[in-house]
Amino acid sequence: MQEQDLRKTIAEKITHYRRHAGLTQSQLAEKLNYSDKSVSKWERGEGLPDVIVLCRMAELFGITLDDLTAMEKPVTIPVNIKKSRHRIITALAVLLAWLAASAAFFTLKLLDVFIDWSFFNKSWLMFIYAVPVSFIVLTVFGCLWYGTLFRIISVSGIIWSLFLSIRLSVSVEALNYLLIVCIILQAMTVLWFFLIAKGKHIK
């Protein structure tokens, strides 16, 4: 396949799957951290996204890389099925974190029967630790499938749940000053995503 044919094929596939997913060029660009001008250029066949971007698009569209680059007719998957699949996978990953926390809790409770150690009295903290782990999972999937607001909320959740976990784990008054660090990190998080959103328009 010649480069011109490849560009045309990929341009048609990107356009088809983007529209089928109900995304505008700007929305797709946001998910890829690129500008809408770049997406427009790809859809006109004036350029090719690199392999990493193609893989990311294939994942977003719920297809394989071959589906996106092959000459065959586009394979269409209903949008609601893809969205449901993403939500189910995200929910399962979060539930896995809570399952691990439950296993750790009951293990510590069992050990408490045989070993007299004060740490076991705080085995309930396993569920507190599951909160930041859950937000980390949500952040990972948010970067894959969800928008900027979802990412800001999930990263913010990591910051404040980590503060809560540390504060409940260690009884030191000085840790109250950690609140200042969390406030700064929260501000940096919002500014960071704002800069990313602005940066996409100058790529």
Side-chain angles (χ1 to χ4, degrees):
M1 183 187 297
Q2 295 182 352
E3 183 179 346
Q4 185 176 358
D5 295 331
L6 181 61
R7 285 186 181 184
K8 182 180 178 182
T9 297
I10 292 179
E12 291 174 352
K13 293 288 185 71
I14 293 174
T15 304
H16 170 83
Y17 287 117
R18 174 182 62 77
R19 289 175 178 171
H20 181 70
L23 298 173
T24 63
Q25 289 183 344
S26 297
Q27 289 170 331
L28 177 58
E30 180 184 354
K31 292 179 180 295
L32 297 172
N33 287 328
Y34 270 78
S35 68
D36 51 355
K37 292 180 180 179
S38 296
V39 174
S40 177
K41 183 179 178 181
W42 299 333
E43 292 189 357
R44 292 195 307 269
E46 296 177 2
L48 281 173
D50 60 40
V51 176
I52 295 176
V53 176
L54 285 172
C55 289
R56 181 75 188 282
M57 274 195 280
E59 190 166 8
L60 284 170
F61 297 146
I63 58 176
T64 66
L65 183 58
D66 286 341
D67 292 331
L68 197 56
T69 58
M71 294 291 291
E72 286 78 10
K73 186 178 179 180
V75 177
T76 301
I77 300 175
V79 177
N80 59 337
I81 292 179
K82 288 188 290 185
K83 289 183 178 179
S84 297
R85 184 186 301 168
H86 293 169
R87 293 187 186 118
I88 291 171
I89 292 173
T90 304
L92 285 173
V94 172
L95 287 174
L96 185 61
W98 285 90
L99 179 62
S102 300
F105 172 79
F106 288 115
T107 300
L108 291 176
K109 279 295 184 183
L110 184 62
L111 289 174
D112 189 30
V113 176
F114 303 102
I115 305 174
D116 184 19
W117 191 19
S118 60
F119 175 76
F120 294 141
N121 295 328
K122 288 189 174 183
S123 54
W124 55 271
L125 282 172
M126 297 301 105
F127 296 109
I128 300 298
Y129 300 154
V131 178
V133 173
S134 297
F135 278 115
I136 290 172
V137 171
L138 290 173
T139 300
V140 172
F141 287 107
C143 291
L144 289 174
W145 296 323
Y146 305 106
T148 301
L149 180 60
F150 186 96
R151 299 173 199 173
I152 292 176
I153 293 173
S154 58
V155 172
S156 300
I158 294 174
I159 294 170
W160 294 106
S161 58
L162 278 176
F163 169 73
L164 177 65
S165 299
I166 295 171
R167 191 64 190 85
L168 291 175
S169 300
V170 184
S171 300
V172 178
E173 285 297 322
L175 284 177
N176 288 330
Y177 293 105
L178 190 60
L179 181 64
I180 299 173
V181 177
C182 290
I183 293 173
I184 294 172
L185 286 174
Q186 179 67 76
M188 289 175 65
T189 298
V190 175
L191 288 173
W192 173 253
F193 283 106
F194 177 77
L195 286 173
I196 288 177
K198 286 292 184 182
K200 289 184 297 188
H201 297 290
I202 59 176
K203 281 188 179 181

